[in-house]
Amino acid sequence: MSLLIGVKEAEFTFIKEKTNATAGNLSVQVQKLKEAGYIEVLKQFKDNYPQTTCKVTPKGIEAFEAYVKALQQYLQVGK
Amino acid sequence: MSDSRDLTEQESLALISNMIQKVKASHHDTGITSLMWGTVVTLASLVTYLQREFEFKIGFDIWLIVFAAIIPQVIITLRKRRQIKVVKYEDAALDAVWLAFGLSIFGLTVYQNIVPYATVTLSHEEGWQMVKHYTDGSGKPDEILRPFPLSIYSIYILLYAVPTLVTGITKKFRYMILGAILSYVAFVISCYTASKYDMLLGAIAAAFCWLIPGIIIRRKYLAQRKADV
């Protein structure tokens, strides 16, 4: 989510490369985020190869902002 | 080995920050587009100026190379779309700015070519025409004049600055910011100069807006590619 929040859309391979996650692990995460409605997943073919593109939804942005706010509040309380 | 433990709040924030930095660092502009358009517009403007300054003709309209450049641009765009793995908001916005710029330039070209003929037609319908009348006491007879948009290339120079400044500020690329500022200066000067010098000013503006930044971006890109190998 941290990676996707700053971009319009990103390919699965890009996310995999940047997060250093395995394809299997990342697929599970993507599926969970999709089921929660936090990201949109578009599967298509590009040059005869399957391509998966992920995009954060407005619900995902809202949830991420709430998460960051909660983190900030927690850290401020802890100071 | 997988690490399934929960992250602490500090680790979560560090991870978010790290991912945002990775996205920021993922930009790889090849510089080809800036280089190509910079070369084409600088060359066309410069050749137009030279033809008018030294009164010679090259035998074809040099501005046709600008239209010809649309073909490689389409190929570059299609290849880029195939290769691109991430679309950043700022890149999408900048693409929109450059698209609007391209359409505006096209619109201005249409205006430049249609308005003189439309003016002749409209003035004929109203029963008048434009005449060049000499006031230097030479006694030369009046000449019928086809209307033309005065100092139109100044408007092109003004337009060159717009997407360049937006890109320069967004990407924090000072060479493009400088190019845009120079373009605005060239625009002001061109308001006072004869149209052949506007062409020279346009060539300078295009060189500083796109050609030089394009060379710098290309060199950076090639150096980075070499480092990645």
Side-chain angles (χ1 to χ4, degrees):
Chain A
M1 277 300 280
S2 309
L3 196 74
L4 285 173
I5 202 81
V7 298
K8 195 171 168 231
E9 58 187 50
E11 254 186 48
F12 185 86
T13 50
F14 174 84
I15 306 168
K16 186 172 153 286
E17 184 193 314
K18 297 293 173 191
T19 56
N20 292 323
T22 62
N25 196 333
L26 186 59
S27 291
V28 175
Q29 302 296 329
V30 165
Q31 191 57 34
K32 279 183 184 172
L33 290 169
K34 189 187 163 191
E35 280 166 11
Y38 291 169
I39 63 168
E40 265 173 44
V41 179
L42 178 71
K43 291 187 184 209
Q44 57 191 2
F45 278 90
K46 193 164 84 172
D47 296 334
N48 295 324
Y49 287 98
Q51 181 202 42
T52 306
T53 308
C54 303
K55 195 176 179 179
V56 180
T57 61
K59 189 182 171 188
I61 294 172
E62 215 170 277
F64 187 79
E65 282 174 351
Y67 173 66
V68 171
K69 210 172 272 178
L71 271 180
Q72 284 170 337
Q73 276 169 0
Y74 184 87
L75 288 171
Q76 272 165 6
V77 168
K79 270 183 188 173
Chain B
M1 206 171 85
S2 69
D3 185 0
S4 59
R5 71 178 173 83
D6 287 339
L7 295 173
T8 66
E9 289 73 18
Q10 282 88 351
E11 281 172 334
S12 289
L13 274 180
L15 179 69
I16 292 167
S17 162
N18 180 255
M19 286 301 136
I20 291 168
Q21 287 308 316
K22 278 188 176 180
V23 168
K24 275 188 182 169
S26 68
H27 181 75
H28 297 293
D29 190 347
T30 62
I32 282 288
T33 305
S34 299
L35 207 55
M36 183 183 73
W37 287 105
T39 308
V40 163
V41 179
T42 305
L43 191 71
S45 306
L46 196 61
V47 169
T48 309
Y49 162 70
L50 292 173
Q51 284 184 115
R52 292 178 64 182
E53 181 68 60
F54 300 104
E55 294 177 355
F56 69 94
K57 296 245 182 263
I58 58 164
F60 69 99
D61 186 357
I62 188 69
W63 288 95
L64 288 175
I65 63 167
V66 175
F67 287 101
I70 292 171
I71 300 162
Q73 180 59 57
V74 170
I75 296 167
I76 291 167
T77 307
L78 291 175
R79 276 181 64 180
K80 191 179 154 193
R81 270 197 193 158
R82 273 209 300 270
Q83 289 166 352
I84 210 158
K85 285 183 174 179
V86 60
V87 181
K88 289 192 244 173
Y89 287 109
E90 64 173 40
D91 290 337
L94 286 178
D95 284 349
V97 169
W98 283 97
L99 176 68
F101 167 70
L103 291 173
S104 303
I105 289 287
F106 178 73
L108 195 56
T109 310
V110 169
Y111 169 86
Q112 184 183 356
N113 287 287
I114 288 178
V115 163
Y117 292 100
T119 308
V120 168
T121 310
L122 291 169
S123 61
H124 268 283
E125 281 172 12
E126 290 175 13
W128 61 273
Q129 62 186 13
M130 286 176 79
V131 170
K132 189 177 184 179
H133 176 70
Y134 290 92
T135 54
D136 58 356
S138 61
K140 284 183 197 167
D142 289 350
E143 291 168 23
I144 293 168
L145 196 65
R146 188 164 66 85
F148 58 92
L150 291 167
S151 197
I152 189 86
Y153 203 59
S154 298
I155 311 295
Y156 282 92
I157 297 171
L158 184 63
L159 276 182
Y160 292 167
V162 178
T164 312
L165 188 62
V166 174
T167 306
I169 291 172
T170 308
K171 297 275 183 196
K172 296 184 181 67
F173 187 37
R174 70 173 188 274
Y175 292 100
M176 274 198 164
I177 298 173
L178 282 172
I181 292 168
L182 204 117
S183 216
Y184 282 120
V185 172
F187 161 73
V188 173
I189 297 169
S190 75
C191 294
Y192 296 95
T193 54
S195 64
K196 68 177 175 186
Y197 296 115
D198 295 355
M199 289 293 166
L200 184 60
L201 289 164
I204 295 167
F208 280 88
C209 279
W210 310 315
L211 182 58
I212 296 169
I215 293 168
I216 294 163
I217 296 167
R218 187 74 190 157
R219 286 176 81 173
K220 272 187 191 169
Y221 171 75
L222 292 175
Q224 197 174 1
R225 254 186 66 174
K226 210 174 168 187
D228 289 346
V229 172

